[in-house]
């Protein structure tokens, strides 16, 4: 079964850190570009970070310098290290890649940044 599963979300105080994981099954991550998106309540889903098959990365301006996307191909896992978190980072975070039938999304993991 082709599946992406996010984990690592939770409640964190402003200025804190979280590390999200996106684990893939049924596909080989090493030959795929991976993207992290987030969706806050009442807002559309937005692209946060991307990593290519060769490790090139790109970030939304709002998270640049605070978030780091990385991949561990032997573990078939992509990470999103989130530092200096702000309340506006609160959202459900999703990973995405291109699956056999088009875009393949995980179920999402909730990140809440609040005092």
């Amino acid at each position: 079964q082709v599946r992406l599963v996010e984990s690592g979300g939770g409640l964190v105080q402003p200025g804190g850190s979280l590390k999200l994981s996106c684990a893939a099954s049924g596909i080989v991550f090493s030959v795929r570009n991976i993207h992290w998106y987030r969706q806050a309540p009442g807002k559309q889903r937005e692209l946060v970070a991307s990593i290519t098959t060769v490790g090139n990365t790109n970030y939304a301006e709002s998270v640049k310098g605070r978030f780091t996307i990385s991949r561990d191909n032997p573990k078939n896992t992509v990470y999103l290290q989130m530092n200096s978190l702000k309340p506006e980072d609160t959202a459900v975070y999703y990973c995405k890649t291109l699956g056999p039938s088009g875009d393949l999304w995980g179920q999402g993991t909730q990140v809440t940044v609040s005092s």
Side-chain angles (χ1 to χ4, degrees), residues 22-67:
C22 174
S25 61
I27 58 172
V28 178
F29 255 180
S30 63
V31 296
R32 298 181 184 273
N33 300 332
I34 313 297
H35 315 275
W36 282 100
Y37 286 76
R38 67 186 181 189
Q39 188 166 25
K43 306 195 73 175
Q44 64 183 9
R45 196 167 297 183
E46 64 174 343
L47 179 63
V48 175
S50 299
I51 188 165
T52 71
T53 58
V54 296
N56 295 327
T57 59
N58 234 318
Y59 301 93
E61 195 66 30
S62 59
V63 307
K64 196 171 297 181
R66 300 188 298 118
F67 290 10

Side-chain angles (χ1 to χ4, degrees), residues 41-106:
K43 306 195 73 175
Q44 64 183 9
R45 196 167 297 183
E46 64 174 343
L47 179 63
V48 175
S50 299
I51 188 165
T52 71
T53 58
V54 296
N56 295 327
T57 59
N58 234 318
Y59 301 93
E61 195 66 30
S62 59
V63 307
K64 196 171 297 181
R66 300 188 298 118
F67 290 10
T68 303
I69 187 171
S70 62
R71 64 193 306 155
D72 187 338
N73 288 333
K75 294 182 179 178
N76 226 27
T77 300
V78 170
Y79 304 98
L80 186 66
Q81 178 66 52
M82 309 164 65
N83 299 324
S84 302
L85 283 163
K86 305 174 180 180
E88 51 262 44
D89 295 319
T90 295
V92 178
Y93 284 72
Y94 303 87
C95 59
K96 189 197 79 172
T97 192
L98 182 63
S101 302
D103 289 345
L104 178 64
W105 295 88

